[in-house]
Amino acid sequence: LSVAGAIVPLFDMFLMNHTQTEADFINFARASLFGRAVYAVTAILAQWLLPNQIRGEKFGVRISLRKVMAGALVICAAAAWVSPFVAKYIFKWSEHPDVTLVFLASAEVSMLAIIFFIIQTLCAQHKPRQAGMFIILMALEAGTQLLFKFPMMYYLAGALSVQIVSVLAFLQAAPKPTSRK
């Protein structure tokens, strides 16, 4: 959990800083600001839930992680749609990042937030090997990007795809809760 807490929040920033030109990195940093708000809310929620996760307590509200992912992607699409307005009138930037970049950067950081929450849940359930698989996946993702230095949009689309598939695979493999009759 400590390793995830250290690397997940700035994972994408580290990779973009080491694989993109300075101008592209600055553009990415601006675009990813929109997704950082989603990450911050998720991190606060994860810290609030951690004591209950460790005690193994159930929560009164059960929300499907698939629905959370879909909701996050919708929020990222909305953020991308309003990003030119926010960039111009709130941030006072002379140029706004491309809306596709805002969506991809926001969605990718949102998936990182979901992955962090899964890692935390697995650690609380005393399943460090399963949690470690997500860390290994991130290491492979980082190694691939550092080696090939894909252009930003290609990397973000690929990383987002890998992250979504890995979360869906985790959900598919997770034991289903049994209902009591």
Side-chain angles (χ1 to χ4, degrees):
L1 184 59
S2 295
V3 170
I7 65 171
V8 172
L10 296 175
F11 178 74
D12 55 347
M13 290 294 230
F14 170 81
L15 284 176
M16 293 296 101
N17 187 38
H18 286 82
T19 62
Q20 304 299 309
T21 65
E22 183 178 351
D24 285 343
F25 173 70
I26 290 169
N27 199 26
F28 170 77
R30 285 183 167 189
S32 70
L33 277 177
F34 295 91
R36 299 281 169 214
V38 175
Y39 189 91
V41 170
T42 304
I44 291 167
L45 179 64
Q47 291 305 305
W48 180 69
L49 293 174
L50 182 59
N52 291 330
Q53 289 175 311
I54 291 171
R55 288 190 297 264
E57 295 177 6
K58 301 293 181 201
F59 311 108
V61 177
R62 293 197 48 88
I63 299 173
S64 160
L65 200 50
R66 285 179 179 88
K67 289 180 182 174
V68 170
M69 285 177 35
L73 292 175
V74 168
I75 290 169
C76 292
W81 185 66
V82 301
S83 66
F85 173 81
V86 171
K88 183 176 182 178
Y89 295 107
I90 296 175
F91 293 153
K92 306 287 187 204
W93 294 341
S94 59
E95 294 179 28
H96 64 82
D98 179 74
V99 293
T100 304
L101 177 59
V102 171
F103 172 76
L104 288 173
S106 298
E108 195 266 343
V109 78
S110 295
M111 288 305 114
L112 287 175
I114 290 169
I115 288 171
F116 178 77
F117 185 76
I118 291 170
I119 290 170
Q120 177 177 290
T121 301
L122 290 169
C123 288
Q125 295 172 348
H126 305 289
K127 297 177 182 177
R129 286 188 183 138
Q130 288 178 315
M133 295 305 291
F134 281 99
I135 302 294
I136 291 169
L137 179 69
M138 291 176 68
L140 290 172
E141 184 182 313
T144 301
Q145 177 61 10
L146 289 168
L147 180 65
F148 294 106
K149 296 180 179 13
F150 293 113
M152 184 170 36
M153 298 291 246
Y154 292 123
Y155 164 73
L156 290 171
L160 179 61
S161 299
V162 167
Q163 291 163 359
I164 289 172
V165 167
S166 68
V167 170
L168 292 175
F170 164 77
L171 292 173
Q172 187 66 30
K176 306 297 182 250
T178 58
S179 61
R180 293 185 184 191
K181 293 183 179 181

